Amino acid sequence: VLFRSYCTLEPCAHHGRTGPCTERIIAAGIRRVVAAIEDPFPLVRGRGFAALRARGIDVSEGVEREAAVRVNQPFLTSVREGRPFVIVKAAVSAEGCIAAAPGVRTPLTSAAANRDVQFLRASVDAVAVGAHTVLVDDPVLTVRDVYRERPLTRVVFDRRLTTSPTARVFGTLDTGPVIVVTTSAAAADRAAAREALERAGATVVRAPDGSLASALRTLVDHAVQSVLVEGGAAIHAAAWEEQVVDYVRVRSEEHTSELQS
């Protein structure tokens, strides 16, 4: 009997949070491994394949490679780009507007569309908004009406550290952590505001500068490989300008549009 193993990603050969996959494969007596793509992580990157071949195991690479790349996009982006896979989501009116006026909370989509958003939130590691969205909408950013197995991280991009410690999102810490990403300068200059947020339960993370790309890179250290950026307009604009958008989801009453960046 020829025992086979099929996987989308190269089996690891190093000790991390768990032991090496290669050791388990060898111990199980598997004689053939079919893997779609090599793992780009520096501690793997071909070492898993080499370890298996050294033990006489037949290794086939590249089977269904494109499909495996799609499945592993968040992980691959975090390793190669040093930031999470970024999905930008927006709801627009028939006229192409996201609000009635700047700073005005404006519901635009139906109950069915809102449920679709909940499914999208349930599929990512984190949901993110800007500080102005917290001020205007005061969202809780939780997953509702659909099942999610793991806690959901909520992220607030706040360069000036203006988020209120009484924001509703801090009342939902039982569903997952809240990370406020600010700059090193703001964290030092506004120590009282930072401490108030930390008392409210926030994890305040310092980015070296005020760019969105810099803020996104800090999230990788907090186990965030995919993030849904829900708004507002300034955050969306920054994401486009800094070229950190990987996927776009636009929803209106008429239809849903999706675009892979």
Side-chain angles (χ1 to χ4, degrees):
V1 178
L2 177 61
F3 294 99
R4 298 180 177 90
S5 173
Y6 296 90
C7 46
T8 62
L9 195 65
E10 174 187 6
C12 67
H14 69 290
H15 287 272
R17 287 181 293 181
T18 60
C21 299
T22 51
E23 291 184 1
R24 298 294 298 273
I25 291 171
I26 293 167
I30 292 172
R31 302 308 304 157
R32 186 181 183 215
V33 171
V34 180
I37 54 176
E38 180 182 284
D39 188 336
F41 188 65
L43 293 179
V44 186
R45 197 175 293 170
R47 292 180 177 86
F49 290 150
L52 295 173
R53 287 175 174 138
R55 296 298 295 267
I57 296 174
D58 179 23
V59 176
S60 298
E61 303 176 45
V63 178
E64 294 290 342
R65 175 181 174 80
E66 292 184 4
V69 167
R70 290 195 297 271
V71 169
N72 288 286
Q73 281 177 323
F75 170 73
L76 296 175
T77 301
S78 68
V79 173
R80 293 170 176 166
E81 305 292 336
R83 62 164 176 81
F85 182 80
V86 175
I87 303 170
V88 166
K89 189 273 292 183
V92 298
S93 68
E95 296 77 22
C97 300
I98 63 173
V104 178
R105 183 176 185 178
T106 311
L108 292 172
T109 52
S110 65
N114 292 337
R115 183 173 175 81
D116 185 66
V117 170
Q118 298 305 317
F119 277 107
L120 190 56
R121 286 182 179 180
S123 69
V124 296
D125 292 329
V127 175
V129 295
H132 187 67
T133 296
V134 176
L135 174 65
V136 174
D137 293 345
D138 199 14
V140 292
L141 303 175
T142 54
V143 175
R144 300 180 292 279
D145 302 323
V146 299
Y147 176 73
R148 178 184 171 87
E149 182 178 0
R150 298 176 294 118
L152 176 66
T153 298
R154 280 71 54 77
V155 178
V156 180
F157 295 119
D158 188 356
R159 290 183 299 178
R160 298 177 179 82
L161 216 54
T162 58
T163 300
S164 170
T166 63
R168 291 198 304 155
V169 70
F170 297 117
T172 63
L173 294 172
D174 58 326
T175 66
V178 176
I179 297 175
V180 177
V181 185
T182 189
T183 63
S184 297
D189 295 342
R190 306 202 69 221
R194 171 178 54 79
E195 292 168 359
L197 288 172
E198 290 173 339
R199 286 194 298 272
T203 299
V204 179
V205 174
R206 301 163 177 78
D209 58 54
S211 69
L212 182 60
S214 177
L216 286 166
R217 285 192 290 270
T218 67
L219 299 179
V220 175
D221 291 335
H222 295 269
V224 175
Q225 293 185 351
S226 58
V227 58
L228 174 63
V229 179
E230 295 200 358
I235 294 295
H236 285 174
W240 283 110
E241 290 170 4
E242 297 181 34
Q243 299 183 345
V244 293
V245 179
D246 299 297
Y247 193 85
V248 178
R249 183 71 170 262
V250 178
R251 185 77 191 229
S252 69
E253 288 292 359
E254 286 74 27
H255 63 278
T256 298
S257 298
E258 298 181 3
L259 175 65
Q260 184 77 41
S261 176

